């Protein structure tokens, strides 16, 4: 079965093997050396002033960012389940929150964020997804962050990049907290979250808030290559391994080549599915996944699994049974992706929607290998 869900994503073999080594004690020079390596590679990935790793899923890092960086009112952008979660976190901690709400296919605009901030001077942090995984849309976070800082540089910008970090290069110039999670683009098992922080964020954190998710205590320890509490040793060993694997990708072309290939693959998939007459759900598709809305979404998804060995994700809440989402994150071989789009075409044929003629794989291959063919010509 090909795992094509936008999290969890398949774990590369070299990474699984690295994590199979005997358990290391976390307070040892051996582990601290691995921690240091993971930390340095994480700085390269995030491009932020500071990084911390947390033994939690992505939601733990969302919570840590909100509680440590918002002291009054949070503005959250809710265009899906994960954006909604930021508001729920603020509420759970007794913080005020105002929300900009959109249908799950519609990205936020800088103007509406500016208007919301101007209407509420108590807003001291803005939280938004870079890629909102609920409907597979890309918010224009960099532009929004810039606009926020133009109004007031003290307002913290929290960017959930759980399905964006490792997918595309993110301009962190105006971002104070960049969140990543292990089981999405970083191809690890679930249970590790990562936060990139700006110097302004560190200043605002001060003594930190809370206990386990107190970022001040973690920063203090992690600068010394250790953690405040027991480190998630196995996952951190995996993180160092996967970031090295990415660095070595395509004969050392590394991250930038991974970003480029992910963009090519996402585009080729979109073209292939549109050529079948399918409709891409989000108005601004993220590169992390391809989301299709369709009356037969459930039937297509079921057939992909039972007849063609491809596991894709469905929708949640009001989009349950109405969309399916195909993962683009991680190191994915083009031949696997070709099979996935071909399987969608076969499923449509089985449902009597169109006759099978290999359109999807043809369009995918033409688009994906276009640049290569040009070089050869
Ligand atoms: C998966 C995901 C989360 C939540 O992460 P957990 O690891 O399930 O806590 C948050 N934000 C986005 C955009 C996600 O895709």
């Amino acid at each position: 079965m090909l795992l094509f869900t936008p999290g969890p994503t398949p774990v590369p073999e070299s990474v699984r093997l690295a994590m199979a080594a005997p358990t290391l004690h976390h307070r040892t020079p051996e582990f601290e050396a691995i921690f240091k390596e993971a930390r340095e590679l994480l700085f390269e990935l995030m491009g932020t002033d500071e990084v911390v790793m947390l033994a939690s899923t992505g939601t733990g890092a969302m919570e840590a960012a909100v509680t440590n960086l918002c002291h009054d009112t949070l503005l959250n952008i809710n265009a899906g389940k994960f954006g909604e979660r930021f508001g729920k976190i603020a509420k759970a901690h007794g913080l005020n929150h105002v929300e900009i709400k959109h249908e799950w296919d519609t990205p936020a605009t800088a103007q509406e964020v500016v208007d919301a901030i101007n209407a509420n001077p108590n807003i001291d942090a803005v939280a938004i997804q870079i890629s909102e995984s609920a409907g597979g849309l890309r918010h224009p976070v960099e532009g929004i962050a810039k606009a926020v800082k133009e109004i007031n540089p003290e307002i913290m910008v929290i960017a959930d990049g759980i399905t964006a970090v490792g997918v595309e290069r993110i301009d962190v110039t105006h971002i104070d907290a960049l969140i990543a999670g292990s089981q999405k683009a970083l191809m690890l098992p679930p249970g590790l979250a990562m936060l990139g922080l700006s110097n302004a964020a560190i200043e605002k954190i001060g003594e930190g808030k809370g206990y386990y998710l107190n970022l001040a205590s973690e920063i203090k320890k992690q600068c010394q290559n250790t953690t405040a509490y027991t480190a998630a040793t196995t996952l951190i060993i995996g993180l160092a391994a996967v970031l090295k694997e990415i660095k070595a990708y395509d004969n050392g072309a590394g991250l930038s080549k991974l970003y480029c290939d992910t963009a090519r693959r996402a585009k080729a998939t979109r073209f292939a599915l549109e050529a079948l007459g399918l409709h891409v759900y989000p108005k601004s598709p993220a590169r992390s996944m391809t989301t299709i809305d369709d009356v037969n979404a459930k039937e297509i998804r079921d057939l992909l699994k039972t007849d063609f060995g491809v596991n894709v994700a469905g929708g949640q809440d009001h989009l349950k049974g109405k969309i399916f989402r195909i993962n683009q994150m991680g190191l994915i071989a083009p031949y696997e992706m070709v099979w996935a789009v071909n399987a969608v075409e076969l499923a449509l044929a089985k449902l009597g929607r169109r006759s099978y003629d290999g359109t999807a794989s043809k369009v995918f291959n033409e688009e994906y290998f276009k640049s290569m063919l040009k070089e050869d010509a």
Side-chain angles (χ1 to χ4, degrees), residues 336-365:
E336 288 191 354
M337 201 74 239
V338 177
W339 174 253
V341 296
N342 183 59
V344 173
E345 183 173 352
L346 288 167
L348 289 177
K350 271 215 152 183
L351 292 168
R353 292 260 301 260
R354 52 173 288 132
S355 54
Y356 179 81
D357 61 4
T359 292
S361 34
K362 180 172 186 289
V363 171
F364 181 93
N365 281 318

Side-chain angles (χ1 to χ4, degrees), residues 101-134:
K101 198 170 176 181
H102 282 295
E103 190 36 64
W104 292 11
D105 63 348
T106 308
T109 65
Q111 190 56 51
E112 61 186 343
V113 173
V114 166
D115 292 345
I117 292 173
N118 286 334
N120 190 332
N122 294 327
I123 290 171
D124 67 332
V126 176
I128 185 167
Q129 275 57 41
I130 298 175
S131 151
E132 170 51 85
S133 318

Side-chain angles (χ1 to χ4, degrees), residues 245-263:
E245 173 104 13
I246 291 174
K247 223 178 153 140
Y249 174 62
D250 204 4
N251 299 315
L255 262 182
S256 51
K257 186 65 165 61
L258 174 63
Y259 294 152
C260 164
D261 286 351
T262 304

Side-chain angles (χ1 to χ4, degrees), residues 57-59 62 82 85 129 131 133 160 162-163 183-184:
T57 68
T59 306
M62 292 169 73
F82 299 107
R85 187 168 298 173
Q129 275 57 41
S131 151
S133 318
D160 170 357
I162 293 176
T163 51
Q183 80 276 25
K184 309 274 174 83

